[in-house]
Amino acid sequence: MNEPIVRIAARGDGVTASGRYAAFAAPGDSVDADGTIHFGPNHAEPPCRHFGTCGGCQLQHLSDHAYAEYVKDRIVGALRAQRLAEPQMSPPHISPPYTRRRVSMRAEKRGKKMRIGFNESSSHAIVDLGACPIMHPALFTMLEPLRGLLAMLLREKRSADIRMTLVDQGIDLLIAGVEVEGLAAVEALTAFASAHQLARLSLDEGYGSTPRYEPEAVTITLGGVAVPMPEGAFLQATIDGEAALIAAVCAHVAGAGHVADFFSGLGTFALSLDTPVLAVEGARDAVLGLQMASNRGKHAITTAHRDLFRRPLTPEELARFDAVILD
């Protein structure tokens, strides 16, 4: 029996009205009894040649319209589960290709082959990336030099974690799961970082992240202010996505006299407001960086280092705010 796909499930599979799941199906597609999918108007040609094998992306087979509806449905579904009414919602913002500024990948040495990429879906196998239409080109161009560096540092059949973020000074690179021993290896690391003009190179040899190369303090500019950037701190995935969120938040809290920004991080929203803000964050390094940045930028920001999961604000504490930002 041929059944139409009516929605996308949380993990990206298409779902029929009867509850049947079909991988890589889009709303408007139909699926036969033998699993054959007949494409409909919302089915798109995936732009990446690794799609379907690589577990880094799940929804490249959706049109922009279908993807936007999927994003909206996830939010509406979560609200309904809490018996909350659907609010008025702005259209989802979809970032353009080649704009993701932070990635976490895996690397593995097998004989003379050095693989770097994302895991296959539901697997520990690594897809050796030869293309990525999501990642910022500045990050993707680092993969080939990294293959050469890791071929020297990694032992046979050993793996490592790689995290890269674009910051004000360039690329902030962390390599975890390697052991750097001997003068030659240490010098190779420094030479690599210098040759590729890295903003920072950090290693985690099993005892936490340690910077090995940082010619100047690493920062990220938020609200026109350079904020100290701790290794691994959260950033919105794309700059244009961040700008869309900031614009929406500023519009919603316009006219508020006193604002609270919960889970404020480095100050993505707080530094963009021109009203008194209480910025509450559980990560100590982020709180310290935001306070330093707000002092330099003459912002009316008060920071609070507080675990909001364990110590949420009481109704009495909330009563003094005109608006609350909760991301």
Side-chain angles (χ1 to χ4, degrees), residues 32-87:
D32 290 340
D34 63 0
T36 301
I37 298 172
H38 301 279
F39 296 160
N42 289 315
H43 203 107
E45 182 66 26
C48 182
R49 69 174 188 250
H50 298 298
F51 183 74
T53 303
C54 177
C57 293
Q58 295 175 304
L59 300 169
Q60 288 188 10
H61 62 291
L62 299 185
S63 67
D64 283 353
H65 170 74
Y67 179 62
E69 287 298 306
Y70 165 80
V71 172
K72 179 182 176 181
D73 288 346
R74 292 291 304 279
I75 297 169
V76 171
L79 293 173
R80 286 175 179 165
Q82 301 301 321
R83 299 180 181 179
L84 297 173
E86 179 181 339

Side-chain angles (χ1 to χ4, degrees), residues 233-234 261-268 278-290 302-309 311 313 327:
F234 176 80
D261 183 6
F262 293 164
F263 303 99
S264 60
L266 296 171
T268 299
L278 172 66
V280 187
E281 171 58 46
R284 185 193 61 180
D285 289 346
V287 170
L288 293 175
L290 173 54
T302 302
T303 57
H305 181 210
R306 181 165 176 168
D307 185 338
L308 289 167
F309 291 105
R311 293 181 57 225
L313 271 71
D327 179 11

Side-chain angles (χ1 to χ4, degrees), residues 108-115 156-158:
E108 183 182 48
K109 187 176 183 180
R110 291 277 181 176
K112 295 183 179 180
K113 182 69 173 178
M114 190 72 237
R115 296 179 179 271
E156 174 68 16
K157 296 184 180 181
R158 296 291 296 273

Side-chain angles (χ1 to χ4, degrees), residues 265-321:
L266 296 171
T268 299
F269 301 122
L271 288 167
S272 297
L273 300 175
D274 56 5
T275 190
V277 179
L278 172 66
V280 187
E281 171 58 46
R284 185 193 61 180
D285 289 346
V287 170
L288 293 175
L290 173 54
Q291 189 62 66
M292 291 173 58
S294 65
N295 291 341
R296 288 199 306 269
K298 304 292 192 297
H299 288 71
I301 297 175
T302 302
T303 57
H305 181 210
R306 181 165 176 168
D307 185 338
L308 289 167
F309 291 105
R310 295 182 178 181
R311 293 181 57 225
L313 271 71
T314 65
E316 292 76 16
E317 289 176 299
L318 283 171
R320 64 190 179 96
F321 299 107

